[in-house]
């Protein structure tokens, strides 16, 4: 939907789009009207992570208790058109039509749906449906000053500031190097550290074979790829091996600094709000670099492309590429921290701001 903002209409007028006889349903905070002509979805306005609402210019998420009666309207073979509205203070704002691209396959488990708007919202419409609140409190970035001299202290400062506190979980730290023991102590205070896409194992495992006896402390792809250190370690801060089906590579950073790289990579991937650019000329990043502090670590290889990390209060940036072309991934603690990035004119494959 582009152009001028459409006029607000009453809730009754919005529901009438479904047909002459409309049944009302509640899916969490969302009102769903079903009729012979269409399905009408009325979501609440606002920045609503974890609840129903407008996520971005093309995505509307619905969440609530199980609603078997709504399953055929969103997941059935023959689906009436879906019309989406957002409830504002003085009426309902039409957002256009949508299709359901994700939901439970079984009626009894239908508790959520992800709708894709057929026409992306303009920025004005998006800001009306999902106003961007000012950024809240953000952690200090002073920990970066300790990366070179005390990486364990830097890791602790970053983790305690970035990740939310959770229920304390028991974790063993005996018989492992200082850096790994520190990571597990932090995971007791910040359980999110054990929910990374590529997890650090709560209990490292012993392995043998090329290049020797090892202690495996993290895995990827369910265990097809792993990171390990020599065992016994032979030093307070051992080197790290990366092993997959075809080769074993020595990581550039020792364990203490590697764990910081590993944590920064996961923090970008799991941040509450994220943004990713398309490939662009690296020179286009010059203005952005002037607002970010580099993290003095070697390039990290989460994929075949090495990545460097940069940060600002409440914002992490992961730059992958070379002198010619790059991609940037951002992670933020508040949506409003991402929104100023629009001023750089990047093309986005994802933008939560």
């Amino acid at each position: 939907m582009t152009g001028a903002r459409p006029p607000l209409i009453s809730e009754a007028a919005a529901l009438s789009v479904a047909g002459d006889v409309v049944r009302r349903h509640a899916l969490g905070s969302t009102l769903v009207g079903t009729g012979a002509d269409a399905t009408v979805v009325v979501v609440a306005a606002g920045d609503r992570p974890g609840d129903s609402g407008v996520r971005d210019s093309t995505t509307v998420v619905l969440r609530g208790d199980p609603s078997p009666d709504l399953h055929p309207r969103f997941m059935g073979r023959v689906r009436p058109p879906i019309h989406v509205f957002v409830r504002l203070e003085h009426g309902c704002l039409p957002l256009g039509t949508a299709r359901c691209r994700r939901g439970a396959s079984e009626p009894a488990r239908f508790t959520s749906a992800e709708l894709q708007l057929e026409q992306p919202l303009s920025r004005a419409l998006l800001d009306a449906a999902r106003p961007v609140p000012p950024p809240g409190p953000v952690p200090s970035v002073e920990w970066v000053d300790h990366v070179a001299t005390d990486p364990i202290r830097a890791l602790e400062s970053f983790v305690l500031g970035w990740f939310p506190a959770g229920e304390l979980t028991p974790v063993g730290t005996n018989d492992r190097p200082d850096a790994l023991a520190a990571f597990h102590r932090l995971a007791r205070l910040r359980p999110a550290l054990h929910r990374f896409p590529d997890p650090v194992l709560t209990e490292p495992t012993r392995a043998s074979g090329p290049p020797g006896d090892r202690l495996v402390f993290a895995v990827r792809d369910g265990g097809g790829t792993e990171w390990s250190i020599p065992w016994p370690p032979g030093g307070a801060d051992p080197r790290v091996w990366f092993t997959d089906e075809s080769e074993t590579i020595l990581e550039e950073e020792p364990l203490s600094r590697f764990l910081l790289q590993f944590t920064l990579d996961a923090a970008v991937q799991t941040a509450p709000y994220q943004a990713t650019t398309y490939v662009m000329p690296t020179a286009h990043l010059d203005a952005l670099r002037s607002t970010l502090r580099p993290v003095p670590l070697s390039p990290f290889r989460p994929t075949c492309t090495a990545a460097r990390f940069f940060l600002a209060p409440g914002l992490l940036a992961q730059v992958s590429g070379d002198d010619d072309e790059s991609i940037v991934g951002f992670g933020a603690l508040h949506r409003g921290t991402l929104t100023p990035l629009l001023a750089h004119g990047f093309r986005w494959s994802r933008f939560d701001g």
Side-chain angles (χ1 to χ4, degrees):
M1 182 180 293
T2 58
R5 173 172 150 172
L8 300 180
I9 63 174
S10 68
E11 183 178 286
L15 289 173
S16 71
V17 174
D20 293 335
V21 180
V22 181
R23 293 185 59 196
R24 299 167 64 103
H25 312 260
L27 186 60
S29 60
T30 300
L31 171 64
V32 180
T34 58
D37 299 335
T39 299
V40 171
V41 171
V42 183
V43 296
D47 187 43
R48 308 172 64 81
D51 197 356
S52 299
V54 177
R55 288 291 177 270
D56 55 40
S57 62
T58 61
T59 307
V60 179
V61 174
L62 311 180
R63 290 197 174 107
D65 294 328
S67 301
D69 291 347
L70 291 178
H71 182 270
R73 307 294 296 205
F74 294 96
M75 302 297 296
R77 288 181 175 274
V78 179
R79 310 178 195 178
I82 300 172
H83 293 259
V84 181
F85 297 81
V86 62
R87 185 185 294 106
L88 303 182
E89 183 179 0
H90 299 295
C92 294
L93 177 66
L95 300 184
T97 55
R99 60 181 180 86
C100 183
R101 63 182 179 187
R102 191 171 294 119
S105 59
E106 300 175 12
R109 299 174 58 192
F110 187 77
T111 59
S112 64
E114 183 176 307
L115 310 182
Q116 181 173 16
L117 294 168
E118 294 182 348
Q119 292 294 325
L121 302 178
S122 67
R123 188 70 209 189
L125 272 177
L126 179 60
D127 286 344
R130 191 217 59 192
V132 179
V138 294
S140 167
V141 298
E142 301 308 313
W143 60 265
V144 78
D145 294 331
H146 305 294
V147 172
T149 57
D150 194 346
I152 294 179
R153 178 181 176 185
L155 174 66
E156 291 174 343
S157 297
F158 169 69
V159 165
L160 294 177
W162 184 271
F163 294 99
E167 183 178 349
L168 296 182
T169 55
V171 139
T173 59
N174 295 328
D175 198 26
R176 60 195 69 179
D178 289 348
L180 194 55
F183 184 94
H184 286 294
R185 285 195 300 270
L186 288 168
R188 184 172 182 269
L189 301 172
R190 300 293 188 266
L193 268 63
H194 282 313
R195 296 194 291 269
F196 288 170
D198 301 321
V200 171
L201 301 175
T202 55
E203 292 295 334
T205 60
R206 303 284 182 86
S208 59
D213 291 338
R214 298 175 290 125
L215 186 72
V216 178
F217 65 87
V219 297
R220 170 179 284 168
D221 298 332
T225 301
E226 61 190 30
W227 287 271
S228 62
I229 55 175
W231 195 258
D237 200 11
R239 301 301 298 272
V240 175
W241 286 321
F242 169 85
T243 303
D244 63 14
E245 296 178 352
S246 61
E247 60 182 349
T248 296
I249 300 172
L250 190 65
E251 293 283 353
E252 293 190 41
E253 299 287 7
L255 180 62
S256 60
R257 291 162 63 90
F258 172 83
L259 285 171
L260 179 56
Q261 287 180 314
F262 193 91
T263 304
L264 292 172
D265 176 64
V268 174
Q269 295 183 61
T270 60
Y273 301 100
Q274 299 175 37
T276 307
T277 70
Y278 285 104
V279 175
M280 72 177 89
T282 300
H284 289 183
L285 299 178
D286 289 347
L288 176 65
R289 290 181 194 273
S290 67
T291 67
L292 300 172
R293 294 188 64 178
V295 181
L297 292 167
S298 302
F300 183 55
R301 295 174 299 194
T303 62
C304 57
T305 304
R308 290 189 178 275
F309 297 100
F310 299 81
L311 73 154
L315 180 71
L316 284 174
Q318 186 176 38
V319 180
S320 304
D322 53 32
D323 291 340
D324 298 320
E325 292 184 327
S326 295
I327 293 176
V328 189
F330 297 91
L333 296 179
H334 303 284
R335 190 186 298 279
T337 307
L338 291 179
T339 307
L341 297 173
L342 291 171
H344 292 281
F346 301 145
R347 292 180 59 245
W348 301 99
S349 60
R350 172 177 178 174
F351 191 80
D352 293 345

